[in-house]
Amino acid sequence: MELTAMTAVTVFCGASPGRRPGHLRTAAELGRALAGAGLKLVHGGARTGLMGAVADGALTAGGAVTGVVPRGMAAVRERSVSSSVRVTS
């Protein structure tokens, strides 16, 4: 079996800011670290909370972010993405 290098990481976390102030900061640091490692972020497409912070961190560090968003939620969720995928369920 041939192993290939990882190119993307999927992160699904809360659309709320978390229970502690450091959660948002840590989420943004994760996004920046993924971008710094050259990894694409795939996330739930939320523009708020921890998911938004991870995505914003990746985007500010020059990373690529894909949001996977149910069609019915697309209007309220997309922002922190460089591309998006809309799914039916």
Side-chain angles (χ1 to χ4, degrees), residues 45-47 67 69 73-81 84-86:
R47 63 176 128 191
V69 183
M73 305 227 19
V76 296
R77 293 194 108 186
E78 292 179 15
R79 183 199 88 205
S80 299
V81 298
S84 65
V85 175
R86 291 192 178 121

Side-chain angles (χ1 to χ4, degrees), residues 11-80:
V11 176
F12 283 90
C13 51
S16 71
R19 296 187 71 148
R20 295 190 174 120
H23 288 165
L24 283 173
R25 183 179 58 252
T26 301
E29 288 172 3
L30 173 61
R32 288 190 297 274
L34 293 172
L39 295 168
K40 179 179 180 179
L41 170 66
V42 178
H43 78 120
R47 63 176 128 191
T48 60
L50 299 175
M51 273 195 282
V54 172
D56 287 343
L59 290 170
T60 60
V65 177
T66 297
V68 179
V69 183
R71 287 187 203 276
M73 305 227 19
V76 296
R77 293 194 108 186
E78 292 179 15
R79 183 199 88 205
S80 299

